[in-house]
């Protein structure tokens, strides 16, 4: 038995005794520590670029996607430490997408998580390059799961392939372009669902699949994680649509009503506020059912996270 498989079988276990809030905080702290050592010491990286990348990476946020990588890995008995490089990688990809989303040519936002957006601090050119650098560096980070923790190379190849698919033209970027086109007059709920599933949902699905792969998930377990991620990803974005209308700006860290201002069509626009709330609940329950029947070592955390996301107010 190689080192990776021996550690894989031992699992972590201890984290499942923590209250959910403590678990989330502990994972966020681990990911933040991992990100602080973003580059090998011997690398020469221009200071302004380094600062721009870290400015957005360290701006706070829920660290939801890294949380899902680790929770999925641990649900199948995998090691938290082995999942950390991939958890950090998805946070880099998510952060790059936010930096670019905030640019004047995209959503033209001044604030993100209660702080000035990257381009407001460093200028548009540096912000674009910081996003480019984060996206590229994410793939370097994924490989470290194999270099540092012995995750099999075949597993890492699958994770890289998944990320290229789900963050690229078929995934998140495809959702982003559809979202931009939607601002010019979206008339079908199915089109809005496509935007939400890809712009937001695909990185959530990726996070769960990556955690499952690191823990040696079977195809059946991966499909359960995919279904779970698809449903909570859509529920997450529908909840975002709701919060943009009725959320607390102090908690959200950005202006509410931005969807209306930009003439974006949202779930409340199509089906109303109360029906949107019911849809979040329905999607969440469907997600829970998928993971409950997935044959995991312990699905407690994933079920708790699903409930937490459904009730979030920021």
């Amino acid at each position: 038995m190689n080192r990776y498989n021996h550690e894989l079988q031992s699992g972590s276990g201890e984290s499942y005794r923590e209250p959910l809030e403590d678990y989330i905080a502990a994972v966020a702290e681990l990911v933040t520590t991992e990100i602080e050592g973003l580059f090998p010491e011997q690398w020469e990286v221009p200071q302004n670029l380094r600062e721009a990348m870290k400015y957005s990476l360290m701006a706070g946020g829920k660290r939801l996607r890294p949380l899902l990588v680790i929770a999925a890995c641990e649900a199948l008995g995998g090691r938290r430490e082995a999942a950390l490089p991939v958890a950090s990688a998805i946070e880099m990809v998510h952060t790059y997408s936010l930096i670019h989303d905030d640019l004047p040519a995209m959503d033209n936002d001044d604030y993100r998580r209660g702080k000035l957006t990257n381009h407001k601090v460093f200028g548009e050119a540096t912000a674009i390059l910081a996003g480019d650098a984060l996206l590229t560096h994410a793939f370097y980070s994924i490989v470290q799961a194999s270099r540092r923790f012995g995750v099999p190379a075949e597993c890492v190849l699958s994770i890289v392939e998944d990320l290229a698919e789900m963050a690229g033209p078929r995934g998140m970027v495809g959702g982003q372009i559809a979202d931009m086109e939607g601002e010019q007059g979206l008339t079908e709920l199915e089109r809005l669902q496509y935007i939400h599933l890809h712009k937001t949902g695909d990185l959530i699905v990726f996070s769960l699949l990556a955690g499952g792969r690191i823990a040696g998930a079977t195809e059946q377990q991966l499909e359960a994680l995919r279904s779970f991620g698809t449903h909570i990803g859509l529920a997450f974005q529908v909840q975002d649509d709701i919060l943009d209308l009725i959320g607390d700006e102090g908690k959200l860290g950005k202006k509410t009503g931005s969807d209306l201002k930009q003439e974006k069509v949202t779930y409340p626009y199509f089906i109303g506020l109360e029906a949107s709330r019911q849809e979040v609940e329905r999607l969440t329950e469907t997600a829970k059912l998928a993971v409950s029947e997935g044959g995991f070592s312990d699905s407690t955390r994933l079920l708790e996270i699903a409930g937490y996301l459904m009730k979030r107010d920021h």
Side-chain angles (χ1 to χ4, degrees), residues 250-264:
K251 291 181 178 180
L252 291 170
K254 60 181 180 180
K255 293 283 187 183
T256 55
S258 62
D259 290 338
L260 285 173
K261 181 180 177 182
Q262 296 174 31
E263 299 182 345
K264 287 188 179 181

Side-chain angles (χ1 to χ4, degrees), residues 25-194:
V27 169
E29 184 178 351
L30 278 173
V31 171
T32 298
T33 300
E34 181 79 6
I35 288 171
E36 283 173 348
L38 190 60
F39 305 117
E41 289 184 6
Q42 68 272 22
W43 282 20
E44 289 188 20
V45 178
Q47 188 63 27
N48 199 37
L49 178 61
R50 186 189 295 264
E51 289 177 2
M53 293 169 73
K54 286 200 170 184
Y55 175 81
S56 293
L57 274 175
M58 298 302 178
K62 292 174 282 291
R63 305 283 196 221
L64 169 62
R65 291 149 193 83
L67 175 70
L68 292 172
V69 174
I70 288 169
C73 182
E74 292 183 337
L76 290 160
R79 286 181 63 233
R80 181 180 296 189
E81 292 79 6
L84 263 177
V86 179
S88 300
I90 192 59
E91 188 70 357
M92 292 178 213
V93 173
H94 176 57
T95 301
Y96 121 76
S97 75
L98 299 181
I99 293 172
H100 284 193
D101 255 357
D102 291 335
L103 289 166
M106 299 276 282
D107 287 346
N108 195 24
D109 281 325
D110 293 341
Y111 289 92
R112 169 74 64 179
R113 296 167 178 167
K115 298 175 64 175
L116 285 171
T117 47
N118 199 290
H119 68 276
K120 286 289 180 179
V121 177
F122 296 94
E124 289 182 42
T126 299
I128 291 168
L129 292 171
D132 293 345
L134 285 167
L135 173 60
T136 310
H137 195 63
F139 291 95
Y140 177 90
S141 185
I142 289 171
V143 172
Q144 304 317 302
S146 181
R147 302 280 194 219
R148 291 165 53 194
F149 299 105
V151 176
E154 186 65 31
C155 172
V156 171
L157 276 176
S158 294
I159 292 170
V160 167
E161 184 175 49
D162 283 347
L163 184 56
E165 175 186 345
M166 294 180 196
R170 190 214 63 82
M172 181 186 70
V173 176
Q176 287 174 316
I177 194 74
D179 187 34
M180 289 175 60
E181 292 170 350
E183 293 172 22
Q184 300 165 15
L186 195 65
T187 58
E188 297 177 353
L189 181 61
E190 291 76 14
R191 192 62 178 165
L192 177 61
Q193 187 178 80
Y194 172 90

